[in-house]
């Protein structure tokens, strides 16, 4: 991963009119949150908290982010990072009950994505890099 930083109001202010990439670091079994958006600005919500106004180009809705202690967060207190997206993969496998499963994940640094997915699922998996 190159140049990442926590998503803050100051950063959003500096990027008005620009397209940014953003993501959280989610665990294998969690829902992913990442994407690209053109930043329009910031606005106070009904509760006096800052909200991001943007046009989402692809991926998760950045307007769902909320500010906490000067950093924009996503659900379950996951801080949002701005910067080049990390390597993001898709894993497909059949679970022990015969159901097809799919998970989007970030492989930990210095770890093979397929081996990581196998360790997480205890199954044969098909892994493809999607970003």
């Amino acid at each position: 991963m190159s140049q990442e930083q926590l998503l803050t109001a100051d950063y959003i202010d500096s990027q008005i009119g620009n397209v940014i990439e953003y993501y959280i670091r989610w665990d294998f079994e969690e829902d992913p949150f990442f994407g690209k958006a053109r930043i329009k600005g910031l606005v106070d919500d009904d509760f006096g908290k800052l909200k991001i106004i943007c046009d989402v180009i692809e991926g998760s809705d950045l307007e769902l982010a909320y500010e906490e202690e000067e950093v924009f967060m996503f659900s379950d207190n996951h801080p949002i990072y701005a910067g080049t997206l990390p390597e993001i993969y898709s894993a497909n496998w059949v679970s022990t009950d015969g159901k097809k499963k799919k998970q989007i994940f970030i492989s930990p640094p210095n770890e093979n994505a397929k081996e990581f997915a196998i360790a997480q699922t205890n199954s044969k998996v098909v892994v493809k890099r999607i970003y």
Side-chain angles (χ1 to χ4, degrees), residues 24-34 60 74-75 78 103-104:
I24 63 170
R25 292 190 187 119
W26 67 92
D27 291 329
F28 188 85
E29 66 281 350
E30 293 180 310
D31 290 333
F33 184 90
F34 64 95
S60 306
F74 186 62
S75 67
H78 284 300
Q103 179 66 45
I104 295 174

Side-chain angles (χ1 to χ4, degrees), residues 5 11 33 47 57-59 66-67 98 110:
Q5 77 163 56
Y11 181 78
F33 184 90
F47 305 103
I57 297 168
E58 65 178 303
Y66 59 93
E67 189 185 34
N110 304 318

Side-chain angles (χ1 to χ4, degrees), residues 30-101:
E30 293 180 310
D31 290 333
F33 184 90
F34 64 95
K36 294 180 185 179
R38 182 173 306 281
I39 301 301
K40 290 183 168 182
L42 296 165
V43 67
D44 285 330
D45 69 9
D46 297 337
F47 305 103
K49 295 260 188 184
L50 280 178
K51 299 294 283 183
I52 299 169
I53 304 298
C54 63
D55 290 326
V56 175
I57 297 168
E58 65 178 303
S60 306
D61 188 353
L62 187 57
E63 290 185 352
L64 295 175
Y66 59 93
E67 189 185 34
E68 189 171 293
E69 297 179 16
E70 299 184 11
V71 173
F72 281 97
M73 309 288 275
F74 186 62
S75 67
D76 300 326
N77 295 321
H78 284 300
I80 301 174
Y81 294 90
T84 305
L85 292 175
E87 292 181 0
I88 299 174
Y89 298 89
S90 173
N92 294 280
W93 72 97
V94 177
S95 64
T96 54
D97 60 5
K99 292 183 181 172
K100 290 183 179 180
K101 295 199 162 206

Side-chain angles (χ1 to χ4, degrees), residues 6-24:
L6 290 169
L7 196 59
T8 63
D10 288 343
Y11 181 78
I12 292 294
D13 272 343
S14 76
Q15 295 301 313
I16 292 174
N18 294 332
V19 173
I20 66 165
E21 294 180 320
Y22 52 90
Y23 60 95
I24 63 170

